Amino acid sequence: MSKTLFVGSKLLGLKCLKKICTISPEDLLGVVAFDDSKESRSCLPDFIDFANHNGIQIEVVSNRKDSEEKILQFKPQRCFIVGWYWMISDRVLDSIPNGLIGIHNSILPKYRGAAPLVWAIMNDEPEVGISFFTLTSGMDDGPVWAQKKTVVHELDTIGTILDRLHDKALEALDEIWELIISDQLAPTSQNHKEATYGSFRRPSDGQIDWTKNSRELFNFIRAQAPPYPGAFFHIANQQKVAISKCKMSDSTYYGIPGQVVKVNSDSVLVMCGDNRALEISEVLLEDGSIKPTIELLKFNNRL
């Protein structure tokens, strides 16, 4: 008898759904997918195609109330949730005998809450990770089933780190999923005294303040690089420009923060607040196109 309902969205959700279907297709009751079709990172058509191709019932929802009603209609014994948008109500939590298991992009209990990976990279953490945990009425405070970690390398962006964490998540599913559904694995309680929390981020929070030091800005930029919208600034004509690729310069410069202090053949160096510069080689425009920085900023001496 099928027991597990998959609830989710985004690429990691799709990968996990496919992995669960490979491990235990007979246990999958159905899919509840969020309608995020207006977002650039949406995988909704792929969810629908995969479910239809494999004969899996799928329900597409657009808000919290609708999602909870659909979850309850399936009467699952267990839910697996990836890439969800809302806290789950006590009504739903109490109705599912074997609980709801989710993935959080942090090494819990660190970085509970919103944008965990963004905050971790911005804070220059040497390693990041993912946690499989049981959802509760609290904020990401349920017991943990498994954790995987990866080192943050100097040339990493949030995109390269996400790729590795996706692989880690699938690796963890291979290790624990059959044990979970056969009741052979128990989760471990978090140490709540070590908990930290991330707040929600608004689009405007991505604006670059060039008066900050170069290391802080470097982490700020790579924490929001593609597939995220990007840390941004405005050039003279008020065009919004996000940075998709940059690195730190070892040289010392004297100038005004935001000033273009050097133009290379394929990059532009911009002054930060600590007499250092960031070397920017690639930018992302509002229309979604990626351009070499030199094409855009060569004749703009202040950002």
Side-chain angles (χ1 to χ4, degrees), residues 89-110:
S89 71
D90 289 343
R91 173 182 172 226
V92 174
L93 291 173
D94 294 341
S95 72
I96 300 174
N98 294 335
L100 299 88
I101 299 172
I103 297 179
H104 190 68
N105 280 336
S106 81
I107 308 168
L108 291 171
K110 303 295 185 183

Side-chain angles (χ1 to χ4, degrees), residues 79-146:
C79 281
F80 185 68
I81 299 182
V82 186
W84 207 235
Y85 282 69
W86 308 286
M87 295 286 288
I88 304 295
S89 71
D90 289 343
R91 173 182 172 226
V92 174
L93 291 173
D94 294 341
S95 72
I96 300 174
N98 294 335
L100 299 88
I101 299 172
I103 297 179
H104 190 68
N105 280 336
S106 81
I107 308 168
L108 291 171
K110 303 295 185 183
Y111 294 101
R112 294 174 178 174
L117 191 54
V118 174
W119 288 117
I121 298 170
M122 284 172 55
N123 288 337
D124 211 10
E125 295 285 0
E127 65 177 8
V128 294
I130 56 168
S131 300
F132 287 70
F133 73 109
T134 295
L135 278 71
T136 67
S137 57
M139 177 68 75
D140 304 322
D141 62 358
V144 173
W145 297 87

